[in-house]
Amino acid sequence: MSAHESTQESTREATQESAPVSTGASRASLGHWTRVVVAIDGPAGSGKSSVSRAAARALGYEFLDTGAGYRSLAWLGLERGTDLEDPEAVVGLLDGFDYAIGTDPDDVRVRVGDVDVTAAIREPRVSGAVSSIARVPQVRVHLNDLFRSLLDAPGRPGIVAEGRDITTVVAPDAPVRILLTADEMARLARRAGELDGQSDADVARQVLERDRRDSQVVDFMTAADGVLTLDSTQLTFDETIDAVVSLIRAAID
Ligand SMILES: Nc1ncnc2c1ncn2[C@@H]1O[C@H](COP(=O)(O)OP(=O)(O)O)[C@@H](O)[C@H]1O
Ligand SMILES: Nc1ccn([C@@H]2O[C@H](COP(=O)(O)OP(=O)(O)O)[C@@H](O)[C@H]2O)c(=O)n1
């Protein structure tokens, strides 16, 4: 049985379960983590960010959008006029990179220095540049250290972190690991629905090119061993949230 099939099966079982709500977890299931760490990866438009945030809210957990870290560094480089194709220049940006992100799912503001970049990091110019900085190994090491310290910080009983390599590199030993997928047409339609001011064709080109470049660095299209695949193509937004919450509850109860 493939990882995909086995996961659809476990998703079905978990979704049908009507277990009482519990956000607790046994010490053993947490491994070395101080709280429940839920790792979610997937391609652009699969629903990682919105679904992870809603699942965190439903469980009383925190939420970590790791892509915001890469986007913020790209934003800084664009502001400074840095050549983002030059890895040395990109590494130079890390010196004194003063980055902060909210992990409350109801307050996910992002700051670089004194500037609130929450909206700016979603602009197409940042989406178009971010893959260039994400492929620099020193950037990944630097940001991964930061992400791990946020995952293990004192706070709510759990945290849902989403990105491209959370299940494989940042937290391969997380008690819950999910690959959230959706077929290309569904992903492009979702993204097109979000971005005003850009034609659907431009959005599609940009998303596919970003996925192509990102997948040269990390594999977020196939589930690593032990990672559950949840295909949201045929699911509504609410059904996807329910499925993720059920998978988390099933894993920690
Ligand atoms: N299962 C789903 N069905 C319909 N729309 C969805 C679903 N999951 C996510 N969306 C919508 O798709 C858009 C992209 O989701 P987002 O969370 O930004 O994806 P990602 O973080 O993977 O790029 C959002 O507008 C979101 O509300
Ligand atoms: N764990 C992660 C998260 C994001 N990224 C990079 O950051 C970019 C933006 O991530 P994102 O999660 O905001 O992207 P979307 O899928 O939400 O559009 C990605 O295109 C990757 O280049 C990464 O390399 N590793």
Side-chain angles (χ1 to χ4, degrees):
M1 192 185 280
S2 71
H4 181 76
E5 286 164 336
S6 75
T7 304
Q8 281 194 329
E9 196 50 46
S10 37
T11 305
R12 214 170 293 125
E13 281 167 16
T15 314
Q16 283 164 0
E17 206 176 58
S18 57
V21 176
S22 163
T23 53
S26 71
R27 271 271 14 127
S29 69
L30 296 185
H32 68 84
W33 299 102
T34 53
R35 53 178 168 168
V36 177
V37 170
V38 180
I40 300 187
D41 288 327
S46 59
K48 299 179 304 294
S49 179
S50 51
V51 170
S52 300
R53 188 171 168 178
R57 196 180 280 131
L59 290 162
Y61 286 5
E62 285 166 51
F63 161 65
L64 179 63
D65 172 354
T66 64
Y70 291 93
R71 286 175 179 274
S72 294
L73 193 66
W75 174 87
L76 182 65
L78 292 171
E79 287 297 297
R80 289 190 183 165
T82 306
D83 176 2
L84 299 184
E85 298 307 320
D86 173 1
E88 261 184 57
V90 170
V91 171
L93 290 170
L94 291 171
D95 195 21
F97 177 48
D98 178 15
Y99 172 69
I101 183 164
T103 56
D104 177 342
D106 292 312
D107 183 8
V108 293
R109 258 168 303 175
V110 185
R111 182 180 59 67
V112 176
D114 292 334
V115 185
D116 185 327
V117 296
T118 313
I121 60 171
R122 306 289 157 198
E123 288 171 9
R125 71 186 183 114
V126 174
S127 301
V130 67
S131 300
S132 299
I133 65 116
R135 71 194 165 127
V136 178
Q138 292 96 319
V139 165
R140 304 198 71 82
V141 168
H142 183 97
L143 289 179
N144 287 348
D145 282 348
L146 175 77
F147 300 150
R148 289 190 192 106
S149 66
L150 290 170
L151 294 182
D152 238 359
R156 298 189 188 180
I159 181 162
V160 183
E162 55 88 11
R164 300 289 189 289
D165 60 348
I166 315 304
T167 61
T168 52
V169 178
V170 176
D173 51 358
V176 192
R177 292 183 301 151
I178 299 170
L179 183 75
L180 187 58
T181 63
D183 73 21
E184 194 172 290
M185 271 179 58
R187 296 191 291 109
L188 294 180
R190 290 173 190 173
R191 264 297 139 92
E194 265 185 339
L195 294 170
D196 293 336
Q198 270 190 301
S199 73
D200 289 0
D202 282 348
V203 172
R205 230 184 335 270
Q206 197 181 53
V207 167
L208 294 178
E209 174 60 8
R210 188 152 57 89
D211 275 350
R212 190 190 65 76
R213 295 192 70 197
D214 289 341
S215 52
Q216 293 171 341
V217 180
V218 282
D219 182 5
F220 49 84
M221 299 303 275
T222 47
D225 274 358
V227 175
L228 305 167
T229 301
L230 176 61
D231 185 341
S232 71
T233 308
Q234 305 292 344
L235 302 179
T236 65
F237 183 54
D238 286 345
E239 286 170 344
T240 312
I241 298 165
D242 287 349
V244 166
V245 168
S246 298
L247 285 174
I248 297 170
R249 286 188 178 138
I252 64 166
D253 279 347

